[in-house]
Amino acid sequence: MPHLQRDLVHDRTIIVAEERAARAFGEGLAPPQNLRDALGPLASDTPIAGCPFCVGNEHATPPAVLTIPPDEATQALLPSASWNSRVFPNRFPAVTHDGNAFSGDSQRSVQASKEQFPARGQHEVLVPTARHATLGAQLSAAEWTRTFAMIQQRASAFRDSGWRWAALFQNVGAAAGASLAHLHAQLVALADIPDVPARELEAGKSHLDRSGKCLWCETLGSEKAAGARVVRESEKFLIFCPAASRLPYEMCILPKCHQSHFEIAAQADLDDLGCLWRGITEVLERLVPAYNWWIHSAPFDSAALGHYHWHIEVLPRSATLAGFEWSSGWHINTVRAEDAAKTLRDHWPC
């Protein structure tokens, strides 16, 4: 029987309706194609002449602000490569970078009183490999560790430049909004905190005031104890499917040790995360046609927070949003979080 599931962190409601999955396929709709089949021949390790992110096409992007030189493996495969990974400004930025990251409550309140004002920020692209990799599972655990370390470096640079917060995310597959097949992440520093992370911060503060405990630490403990929604546990992280998952196979990755800021995570954490991420991509790309993931971290201008816990959210595009979702704000999920977690566990690479 369909039931409502509340997400107290984001103040949203989910309808879990397993029966609708059977109804959809009964009407002749095919299950979603997996990402490996969807990409087809584009999933190649060799450079593509028309790809602006491949080796030899550096002229198609702005100059890099961060470059990692090639290692032996890259040089063996691509002798002409002068880099392994690179970060550069987005040619089509969503925000305006005029060099003036405003700060201070008085200035923010002035902006908030207007209906229109400049969208200040800094928009960058991170290409994790010189190879034309289109699948996350084509990257090794070491390459993913390096990718997260580069995101961390750029987050620290945004903090030092006076920006307040940054959207750190990746779109994989056309259905997830990726306009280019070559794997890349996007880093968007902002002058203020957007609505979703602001709600997370508020929910965490309210919970700490009421209970004296971190909401995410409590969630981690309860999910680990229950076990049914846990996908994987490592030395440093817990991966689970949230009870109020918006779409099938949605995951949350939480550090087991309380920490509010991603940019100060230790190298051991990044090493562990790289290994986990290799497994996550292997599983997802065999199950879904596309996915998004993002890192949520505390504001750059805040000290260590007892009420906030940095984390990563993974949202597979395993279903299409339609009229009900857009008109109501409520998602309909056809797979229980417990069943999704079991499927992910069963498909996890050995």
Side-chain angles (χ1 to χ4, degrees):
M1 177 180 294
H3 67 273
L4 299 180
Q5 186 77 48
R6 287 285 294 153
D7 181 334
L8 300 180
V9 174
H10 301 96
D11 189 26
R12 62 187 174 217
T13 300
I14 309 299
I15 298 178
V16 180
E18 298 172 88
E19 295 82 356
R20 288 188 62 80
R23 172 180 175 271
F25 298 144
E27 290 175 349
L29 298 179
Q33 188 178 33
N34 71 54
L35 186 53
R36 295 181 178 220
D37 291 342
L39 286 172
L42 288 179
S44 169
D45 281 347
T46 59
I48 302 297
C51 174
F53 296 164
C54 279
V55 165
N57 296 334
E58 292 82 3
H59 62 278
T61 70
V65 297
L66 175 63
T67 302
I68 304 299
D71 55 18
E72 291 183 3
T74 298
Q75 287 183 323
L77 184 64
L78 301 168
S80 64
S82 60
W83 53 276
N84 240 342
S85 310
R86 58 197 299 260
V87 179
F88 47 85
N90 196 308
R91 287 183 60 197
F92 309 100
V95 289
T96 300
H97 182 199
D98 58 8
N100 297 314
F102 72 82
S103 60
D105 291 337
S106 60
Q107 290 180 328
R108 283 193 290 275
S109 64
V110 169
Q111 297 289 356
S113 68
K114 300 178 181 179
E115 292 185 358
Q116 179 175 318
F117 48 91
R120 290 193 176 95
Q122 189 171 334
H123 194 166
E124 298 178 347
V125 175
L126 188 161
V127 177
T129 175
R131 297 175 287 115
H132 188 77
T134 57
L135 294 166
Q138 289 177 289
L139 271 61
S140 67
E143 287 177 303
W144 276 116
T145 292
R146 185 179 67 217
T147 298
F148 286 113
M150 292 178 72
I151 294 174
Q152 191 179 60
Q153 288 183 60
R154 293 312 298 158
S156 295
F158 294 152
R159 177 199 60 204
D160 296 342
S161 296
W163 302 112
R164 287 204 75 204
W165 189 83
L168 313 168
F169 64 94
Q170 185 177 54
N171 307 323
V172 184
S179 56
L180 292 169
H182 193 136
L183 278 178
H184 61 284
Q186 298 190 56
L187 320 173
V188 186
L190 299 170
D192 217 334
I193 305 171
D195 296 345
V196 172
R199 284 197 293 271
E200 288 187 348
L201 287 160
E202 183 179 356
K205 182 65 165 58
S206 297
H207 187 82
L208 183 70
D209 291 343
R210 290 194 308 270
S211 67
K213 298 178 182 179
C214 167
L215 175 57
W216 282 269
C217 288
E218 278 206 326
T219 299
L220 190 150
S222 62
E223 291 293 348
K224 183 177 177 178
R229 291 187 289 267
V230 173
V231 176
R232 199 77 173 175
E233 181 180 0
S234 66
E235 180 185 357
K236 303 288 186 178
F237 295 91
L238 186 77
I239 307 175
F240 64 94
C241 293
S245 295
R246 289 159 288 184
L247 294 169
Y249 313 120
E250 179 177 350
M251 285 179 275
C252 180
I253 297 91
L254 273 178
K256 292 164 72 174
C257 180
H258 180 89
Q259 193 171 63
S260 56
H261 291 74
F262 168 74
E263 64 269 22
I264 63 171
Q267 183 61 48
D269 294 330
L270 301 184
D271 291 339
D272 195 358
L273 183 58
C275 291
L276 282 177
W277 211 259
R278 181 60 180 74
I280 287 172
T281 55
E282 180 74 26
V283 170
L284 279 183
E285 289 162 2
R286 293 186 182 279
L287 293 176
V288 301
Y291 59 95
N292 308 92
W293 63 263
W294 54 85
I295 300 171
H296 273 181
S297 182
F300 296 133
D301 59 354
S302 66
L305 300 178
H307 64 270
Y308 195 76
H309 203 123
W310 79 261
H311 57 281
I312 303 178
E313 298 180 26
V314 182
L315 190 66
R317 293 305 185 97
S318 46
T320 301
L321 302 186
F324 179 82
E325 289 83 358
W326 291 119
S327 64
S328 68
W330 289 8
H331 285 68
I332 300 177
N333 190 341
T334 59
V335 179
R336 290 192 319 139
E338 293 80 1
D339 295 334
K342 183 179 185 307
T343 298
L344 292 166
R345 289 195 301 270
D346 290 346
H347 284 79
W348 195 272
C350 297

